[in-house]
Amino acid sequence: MPGEEAYGPAVDRSALGLARPPRTASYRGFIFVSFDPAIESLEEYLADARDYVDLVADQSEAGMEITAGTQRYGIRANWKLLCENSIDAYHGAITHARYMRFLSSTGGLSLDSVLDPGGGGHARSLGNGHAVMEYPSPWGRPIAHWVASFGEEKRAELEQIERKLAELHGVERAKRIAHMSRNLLIFPNLVINDIMAITVRSFFPIAPNEMLVSAWNLAPVDEKPDARAMRFDNFLTFLGPGGFATPDDVEALESCQRGFANPEVGWSDISREMNRADPMPTGELQMRTFWRRWNELLTRERSQQRMGVERLTA
Amino acid sequence: MATAGRDTTRAEVEEFLYEEAALLDEWRLEEWLALLTDDIQYSVPSTDTPDGEPDETLFLIADDALRVRSRVDQLLGKTAWAENPRSRTRRMIGNVRIREAEEGQIRAISNFVVHRVRHDRVDTYVGRYEHLLVRENGTFRIRKRRAILDMESLREVGKVSFIL
């Protein structure tokens, strides 16, 4: 420190370094930061979301890596709208009609289901506000769900990947990894969508009506160059600010945000399929799970205080 | 060495790039498609990897002919919600340089500013184009077209939903 003598002996140099977050921990290579020094362990925090992180982390024996290149973009909408959008299947057919048409015209659509014939998958609350939807993949997956647009020469390669997964994790789990797609929200602002590729997406509010998103591609460390290239193709066709889908999601979120500026709009209805015992991806259990936890965290202190007041006055 | 390069003047390349810009700004996208070769590569790298290659780096756009044709069909249709209603765009292209020219191919570098107007906002994209042009029937066709953004992120502009 230049001119250190100008400071008195009470100045503690060791206290002048960069600020540290109160807590950091990692699970299967994903590093989490918390600003709550009293938070539970990461394993407890992740609760049942761990199983779905495992389904991603288990895709290669050699490990998974974030590849170079960050899709970093702004959305002029409240950050919570992206939580809803990232784990919702109901909007897909309408919002992404052009992507679906591209798939169907190129042989990229797969309507037959390996795991769940005639079924549409399920949605789950995973504890602590985390939620997921999992469904038979309507699109091809580099690990490992073949569709015609991948080309006949890729079919054997993908079957080999599934056989390898079966050796590692058993036939049923291998089938689930290979043929199901999953959209996972880890409360509050991490999305791991294991769909036509795997995108890891984190987002932060920078104003009540604006967020900044960072999205990456996650892939097996030992993926062959042509398989990696196919993965990027699959990723970009749907995902990101230049894809055939994400820009339309962003348009929908920003349109909603403009609508919410009207005081006449009091509520966003997310009661869809509340009466179902077996929640579906096209229902809204996922959103309710997020919002209930958000509401609990924001109002717990206040409601406890209110209860205290009620007791005092009773 | 081929002489295509020496035969090509900057004015010719500038004229071509200005006409291309006009087609895009006027949403004459079918005519724009006709400028592309069958092995076209149209790409926009992610903002933190401007020198990346699309088979090993995550891009924003990395279209082959199939994808870019579909992109245009989508943009001219009704369900590309991000461009319905369409953006107005206005491109400024300058500082055009011919970097290499051989065997009938010309690599042209130019600077761009693209203004996009929508929902009462003006978003500005700044960067450079790298065109690989092929001489054909007295004019050019585009074999590679890379738009490299100078912005550090798309924080302000959000998306690349039109042909940049």
Side-chain angles (χ1 to χ4, degrees), chain B:
Chain B
M1 288 299 292
T3 55
R6 266 169 266 152
D7 293 343
T8 303
T9 65
R10 189 172 67 213
E12 268 184 297
V13 173
E14 283 174 340
E15 179 72 12
F16 178 80
L17 295 178
Y18 296 163
E19 289 300 326
E20 186 202 10
L23 292 180
L24 292 173
D25 284 344
E26 292 164 19
W27 282 78
R28 291 157 61 192
L29 301 183
E30 294 284 1
E31 289 170 71
W32 177 73
L33 276 184
L35 300 180
L36 312 179
T37 62
D38 290 340
D39 58 351
I40 176 70
Q41 294 173 23
Y42 161 52
S43 61
V44 183
S46 293
T47 48
D48 61 341
T49 49
D51 301 321
E53 288 303 326
D55 52 357
E56 51 191 29
T57 308
L58 182 63
F59 269 46
L60 300 173
I61 294 172
D63 283 354
D64 56 9
L66 177 75
R67 282 181 174 72
V68 78
R69 285 181 190 137
S70 175
R71 186 180 293 278
V72 163
D73 284 348
Q74 294 168 27
L75 288 171
L76 294 176
K78 287 194 168 64
T79 58
W81 309 117
E83 289 296 334
N84 182 8
R86 292 172 183 172
S87 301
R88 298 178 183 187
T89 62
R90 189 61 61 195
R91 287 147 216 264
M92 307 295 163
I93 294 174
N95 303 56
V96 177
R97 291 171 291 163
I98 300 177
R99 296 298 285 200
E100 290 160 28
E102 57 177 49
E103 302 297 334
Q105 298 199 136
I106 298 103
R107 195 160 80 92
I109 299 184
S110 57
N111 294 352
F112 68 75
V113 176
V114 181
H115 299 293
R116 172 199 198 232
V117 186
R118 196 160 182 265
H119 290 315
D120 290 328
R121 289 181 48 85
V122 182
D123 294 321
T124 305
Y125 299 73
V126 181
R128 73 176 195 276
Y129 286 128
E130 291 187 8
H131 282 76
L132 186 66
L133 302 174
V134 187
R135 197 172 258 301
E136 200 180 281
N137 301 330
T139 179
F140 303 109
R141 289 179 84 193
I142 305 168
R143 188 166 203 182
K144 285 188 189 168
R145 184 180 188 280
R146 182 179 284 212
I148 301 158
L149 292 164
D150 289 325
M151 294 108 85
E152 294 165 302
S153 76
L154 302 181
R155 173 173 171 168
E156 290 301 320
V157 301
K159 49 194 179 261
V160 188
S161 46
F162 56 93
I163 306 285
L164 182 61

